[in-house]
Amino acid sequence: MAGLTEAQVQDRIREEAKKALASGEVSAVVGWTSTRFEDKTKPYFAETEAECDLLVWNKYCINGTGKFALDDRYPEKKIAIIARGCDSRALNRMLRDKQLKRENLYIIGVVCDGKENAVCEGCQHKNPLTYDVLIGEPVEEQMNAERFKEIEAFEKLTPDQRYEYWAKQYDKCIHCYACRNACPACNCVECYADQYRTGWQGKAADREQNQVYGLTRAFHVGDRCIECGECERVCPMNLPIMRQTKKMLKDINDLFGDYECGLPDDAMPVLGTYKLEDPDEFM
Amino acid sequence: MSIKKDDNWEPKILAFCCNWCTYTGADLAGLNRMKYPENVRTIRVPCSSRVNPQFILRAFQKGADGVLVCGCHPGDCHYATGNYFTRRRFMLMQRLLEYNGIDPKRFQAKWISGSEAAKFRDTVTEVSAQIKALGPNTKFVAPHYDNALQAKEGGAE
């Protein structure tokens, strides 16, 4: 952390949270609090000044806070969100998808130096991108040259090996939809998988339905994925979900130029727009 | 319908055809008495961008050996821009399916206009030959639709 120690950042977070609540415009501050395990934290909604002192900041603050903004889409007061780089991108994602209104959010940005989470190793945005108040000095961003290394290695397997690998992975899926619930790109008001009478998604947790769910989800969020890794973190069966969405991102980068989601610019997701000069393979 | 493992095996190909171009092209092929392989099942859709990627997954699960999505040439879309979205969508879908182990020949997209009856015939013939060379699809097939499995277990007897 540039300039500030962990404890100092924590103090600043509590200070800003109290200030936000005291202003009367904010109903709750979303952050993390300690649990009875030293190496675990949990998401926490501080609604009073006393509760603000329970907010913590350490290397175990791994839960994404951005998605909680969707719990109340039409709040009476603002919701304050303590946002790291990934959380601010999650909020950008939902703002871009018109799921939230910026005026309903008060974003307390915190410069993050990576948590005890595997996905943080390849992080390209340690500084929050959108915020109302920033805690900590912005650090220099590192581009991750190995962003798609894992995908390239997987592509070298034979088609049969690849199919077997995914079939075995999807055999494990139990349809808990935790990946969907944690994903900031999964922000449809009603998920297609919940519309059980339409027949889009069967309820059986067998390979057939899991493949449909996995691939549909990968395709649906693939062009809007912010690579926060929440889907893989919450998966109780340890499915490598990011391998599918990252493949989509890799192809998008190859075909349509450099692309990253969750940036503050107003770019449309790749599949929601087109260019006349796109490559054409279907002639 | 079970398919036995013999030389008479014919692939099942599902073709999603755009109402305004390819379906008309296929109609013209029929009017002109052109001959093309009968293992293509045509489904008329209002636009090639009507085809949801999930249709393709379900088609493979329910026993299709190949899927073809056909639409108007870029710039010719009846709805002005539909096929530009199709183009992006299925370029990515083809790669995602390949990544998941499906041969890219099994899922193809083509632009065929209403006057290109010959191109429709040629495309269908070519795709049919390619898929025949690949053999029955064994990936993504749901057990109760699995033709190859039925051929092995029940059909062979």
Side-chain angles (χ1 to χ4, degrees), chain A residues 57-71:
Chain A
W57 173 261
N58 55 41
K59 62 181 176 177
Y60 304 113
C61 296
I62 57 172
N63 293 58
T65 52
K67 188 76 190 274
F68 290 112
L70 278 192
D71 285 2

Side-chain angles (χ1 to χ4, degrees), chain A residues 151 154-155 159-160 162-163 166 170 192 199-202 207-209 211-212 215-216 218-219 243-244 247-248 251-252 255-256 269-283, chain B residues 50 52-55 57-58 61-62 73-74 80-81 84-103 108-111 119 138-145:
Chain A
I151 310 300
F154 190 75
E155 280 169 349
D160 287 338
R162 290 197 296 258
Y163 179 74
W166 283 114
Y170 285 128
Y192 89 99
W200 285 112
Q201 180 64 56
R207 184 187 285 190
E208 175 191 347
Q209 300 301 338
Q211 282 171 329
V212 168
L215 284 171
T216 306
F219 201 83
R243 275 199 183 180
Q244 298 274 30
K247 163 70 181 164
M248 288 278 293
D251 290 339
I252 289 168
L255 290 166
F256 311 120
V270 160
L271 289 175
T273 182
Y274 66 90
K275 278 189 186 143
L276 296 180
E277 62 272 18
D278 281 340
D280 201 335
E281 299 173 347
F282 305 150
M283 299 307 279
Chain B
R50 169 68 184 88
N52 187 322
Q54 220 177 16
F55 293 176
L57 288 174
R58 289 292 190 203
Q61 287 192 333
K62 299 193 177 186
H73 286 266
T81 57
Y84 291 117
F85 292 98
T86 314
R87 187 163 69 178
R88 282 200 164 186
R89 188 182 301 162
F90 290 129
M91 271 200 285
L92 290 173
M93 186 66 185
Q94 203 172 31
R95 284 167 172 76
L96 188 68
L97 284 176
E98 190 183 354
Y99 184 72
N100 279 269
I102 290 252
D103 195 299
Q108 299 190 31
K110 290 279 177 208
W111 306 134
K119 188 178 176 188
T138 53
K139 290 165 184 164
F140 283 100
V141 184
H144 50 286
Y145 295 114

Side-chain angles (χ1 to χ4, degrees), chain A residues 130-145:
Chain A
T130 308
Y131 51 82
D132 294 304
V133 56
L134 182 67
I135 298 173
E137 288 290 312
V139 293
E140 202 179 320
E141 300 290 8
Q142 301 281 329
M143 291 315 282
N144 181 12

Side-chain angles (χ1 to χ4, degrees), chain A residues 127-238:
Chain A
N127 302 322
L129 295 160
T130 308
Y131 51 82
D132 294 304
V133 56
L134 182 67
I135 298 173
E137 288 290 312
V139 293
E140 202 179 320
E141 300 290 8
Q142 301 281 329
M143 291 315 282
N144 181 12
E146 296 184 342
R147 189 174 167 203
F148 299 122
K149 193 182 161 200
E150 192 191 21
I151 310 300
E152 279 155 14
F154 190 75
E155 280 169 349
K156 292 201 178 82
L157 301 177
T158 67
D160 287 338
Q161 282 172 325
R162 290 197 296 258
Y163 179 74
E164 279 307 311
Y165 174 83
W166 283 114
K168 281 206 183 96
Q169 294 299 333
Y170 285 128
D171 280 346
K172 296 194 292 188
C173 175
I174 55 170
H175 273 215
C176 64
Y177 300 134
C179 47
R180 176 196 71 185
N181 294 350
C183 176
C186 273
N187 51 32
C188 299
V189 175
E190 191 180 1
C191 178
Y192 89 99
D194 288 338
Q195 297 168 336
Y196 61 94
R197 292 177 76 178
T198 59
W200 285 112
Q201 180 64 56
K203 287 282 155 186
D206 56 11
R207 184 187 285 190
E208 175 191 347
Q209 300 301 338
N210 295 348
Q211 282 171 329
V212 168
Y213 174 67
L215 284 171
T216 306
R217 189 180 169 281
F219 201 83
H220 182 38
V221 304
D223 64 325
R224 296 176 298 126
C225 173
I226 59 162
E227 298 164 81
C228 61
E230 283 289 280
C231 48
E232 269 189 35
R233 185 182 65 77
V234 298
C235 182
M237 306 312 279
N238 291 324

Side-chain angles (χ1 to χ4, degrees), chain B residues 7-113:
Chain B
D7 298 337
N8 293 329
W9 174 78
E10 286 290 335
K12 279 188 209 167
I13 298 165
L14 200 62
F16 291 99
C17 293
C18 148
N19 177 41
W20 306 99
C21 285
T22 315
Y23 197 82
T24 325
D27 205 21
L28 191 63
L31 281 173
N32 288 339
R33 304 268 188 272
M34 285 178 183
K35 183 150 176 59
Y36 61 83
E38 59 271 27
N39 35 38
V40 171
R41 277 84 164 157
T42 309
I43 294 182
R44 181 165 66 159
V45 285
C47 178
S48 53
S49 63
R50 169 68 184 88
V51 182
N52 187 322
Q54 220 177 16
F55 293 176
I56 295 148
L57 288 174
R58 289 292 190 203
F60 283 125
Q61 287 192 333
K62 299 193 177 186
D65 298 301
V67 179
L68 195 59
V69 176
C70 304
C72 313
H73 286 266
D76 285 357
C77 181
H78 182 76
Y79 308 100
T81 57
N83 51 6
Y84 291 117
F85 292 98
T86 314
R87 187 163 69 178
R88 282 200 164 186
R89 188 182 301 162
F90 290 129
M91 271 200 285
L92 290 173
M93 186 66 185
Q94 203 172 31
R95 284 167 172 76
L96 188 68
L97 284 176
E98 190 183 354
Y99 184 72
N100 279 269
I102 290 252
D103 195 299
K105 288 198 192 83
R106 288 198 191 273
F107 169 62
Q108 299 190 31
K110 290 279 177 208
W111 306 134
I112 299 169
S113 83

